């Protein structure tokens, strides 16, 4: 599953799942751009980890929710390399709480990053991928997009929107050898799950047939496969990485 000669962009690549994905893509040979919005130190650390493994990592700062900035930044990447082959839409935020208490501003911010941000990036890369007649777009969704979760109505809606975007764009771009898929992780060991209480983690584990939380590397391996030539006949699919939590 080598990606030598390919150029990849991972949004929200400074930590967690995004970091693991960026490292894996770089390990397999892709020049990998790590997008971040605020935490430059974390993005630089991801680059350092990539360099330690002999890969090539570069950083690109922009807010995916900002259409103009996203277009300009991705345009810069394309000009620097003459191509962009792989887009991983990982950038996302969570604003949890019951819907009756949710502020309109929180809804707009969440949808703007999780859904509109992915749309902005897809729009920016589609033309170059069409010209290349090759491309991979991988959207990082969530188990709650299909199963739902109390207290996460807005988050679930944004991730469910990603699934619709994935399937529709897959149909639009398939004739140009561009594959568009979604990966839907379950409970993964990240900063978010680290903040859960012991009791909350125990309740979660009771629901997972494999009786463990996933790791960012579990997700990264699937993304690397979908980004490769070996996945050239897979498009419009949702790959669930959840230990059997949702089937």
């Amino acid at each position: 599953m080598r990606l030598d000669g390919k150029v990849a962009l991972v949004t929200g690549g400074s930590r967690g799942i995004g970091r693991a994905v960026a490292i894996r893509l770089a390990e397999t040979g892709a020049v990998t751009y790590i997008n971040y919005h605020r935490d430059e130190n974390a993005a630089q650390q991801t680059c350092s980890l990539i360099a330690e493994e002999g890969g090539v990592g570069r950083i690109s700062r922009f807010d995916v929710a900002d259409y103009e900035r996203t277009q300009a930044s991705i345009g810069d990447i394309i000009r620097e390399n003459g191509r962009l082959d792989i887009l991983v839409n990982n950038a996302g935020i969570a604003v949890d709480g019951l819907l009756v208490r949710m502020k309109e501003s929180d809804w707009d911010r969440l949808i703007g990053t999780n859904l509109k941000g992915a749309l902005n990036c897809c729009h920016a890369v589609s033309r170059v991928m069409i010209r290349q007649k090759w491309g991979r777009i991988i959207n990082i969704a969530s188990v709650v997009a299909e199963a739902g979760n109390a207290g996460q109505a807005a988050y679930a809606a944004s991730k469910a929107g990603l699934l619709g975007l994935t399937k529709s764009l897959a149909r639009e771009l398939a004739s140009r050898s561009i594959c568009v898929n979604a990966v839907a992780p379950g409970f993964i060991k990240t900063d978010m799950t680290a903040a859960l209480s012991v009791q909350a983690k125990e309740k979660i584990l009771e629901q997972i047939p494999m009786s463990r939380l996933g790791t960012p590397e579990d997700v990264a391996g699937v993304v690397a496969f979908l980004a490769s030539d070996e996945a050239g006949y897979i498009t419009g699919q949702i790959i669930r990485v959840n230990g059997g939590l949702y089937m």
Side-chain angles (χ1 to χ4, degrees):
M1 298 196 303
R2 297 296 302 174
L3 296 171
D4 300 292
K6 304 297 186 186
V7 178
L9 169 63
V10 181
T11 68
S14 62
R15 63 181 68 227
I17 291 173
R19 171 177 286 179
V21 168
I23 292 171
R24 181 64 64 86
L25 294 180
E27 283 177 345
T28 55
V31 173
T32 303
Y33 282 78
I34 298 102
N35 157 259
Y36 74 100
H37 183 204
R38 292 189 176 89
D39 195 342
E40 183 175 355
N41 288 335
Q44 291 287 7
Q45 187 178 1
T46 302
C47 270
S48 295
L49 292 169
I50 287 172
E52 289 174 9
E53 298 298 325
V56 178
R58 298 170 183 166
I59 62 173
S60 178
R61 181 179 185 179
F62 61 92
D63 179 2
V64 296
D66 184 330
Y67 176 82
E68 296 296 338
R69 186 69 185 127
T70 298
Q71 296 289 315
S73 297
I74 291 179
D76 288 341
I77 293 171
I78 294 169
R79 280 187 290 275
E80 286 173 14
N81 300 275
R83 61 188 305 113
L84 182 52
D85 305 281
I86 301 158
L87 168 65
V88 182
N89 282 311
N90 172 74
I93 59 173
V95 184
D96 294 343
L98 296 176
L99 185 64
V100 294
R101 297 176 183 169
M102 173 162 281
K103 298 177 182 176
E104 182 183 11
S105 59
D106 286 338
W107 169 274
D108 291 343
R109 184 162 60 94
L110 193 149
I111 296 296
T113 298
N114 296 7
L115 184 53
K116 181 174 179 282
L119 180 66
N120 289 343
C121 292
C122 288
H123 188 271
V125 306
S126 291
R127 288 186 185 277
V128 69
M129 289 184 177
I130 288 170
R131 288 199 301 271
Q132 293 168 179
K133 296 184 180 180
W134 198 98
R136 300 287 187 267
I137 297 174
I138 301 149
N139 297 319
I140 306 300
S142 169
V143 62
V144 303
E146 297 181 285
N149 194 32
Q152 289 192 307
Y155 182 78
S158 70
K159 293 297 187 178
L162 269 184
L163 302 186
L165 174 64
T166 297
K167 291 175 180 291
S168 297
L169 198 55
R171 290 184 179 276
E172 290 184 17
L173 300 177
S175 65
R176 295 290 181 156
S177 297
I178 300 168
C179 300
V180 187
N181 293 288
V183 175
F187 287 97
I188 306 296
K189 290 180 182 177
T190 61
D191 293 343
M192 235 187 286
T193 54
L196 295 172
S197 67
V198 173
Q199 293 82 2
K201 288 181 181 178
E202 287 176 350
K203 288 183 179 179
I204 290 169
L205 290 174
E206 289 174 359
Q207 303 173 57
I208 302 173
M210 294 192 74
S211 301
R212 71 171 177 89
L213 298 182
T215 67
E217 289 72 25
D218 289 328
V219 180
V222 175
V223 173
F225 167 68
L226 290 174
S228 72
D229 283 326
E230 280 82 353
Y233 201 55
I234 300 173
T235 196
Q237 303 305 308
I238 305 165
I239 311 298
R240 303 178 181 95
V241 186
N242 60 33
L245 176 64
Y246 179 86
M247 301 185 189

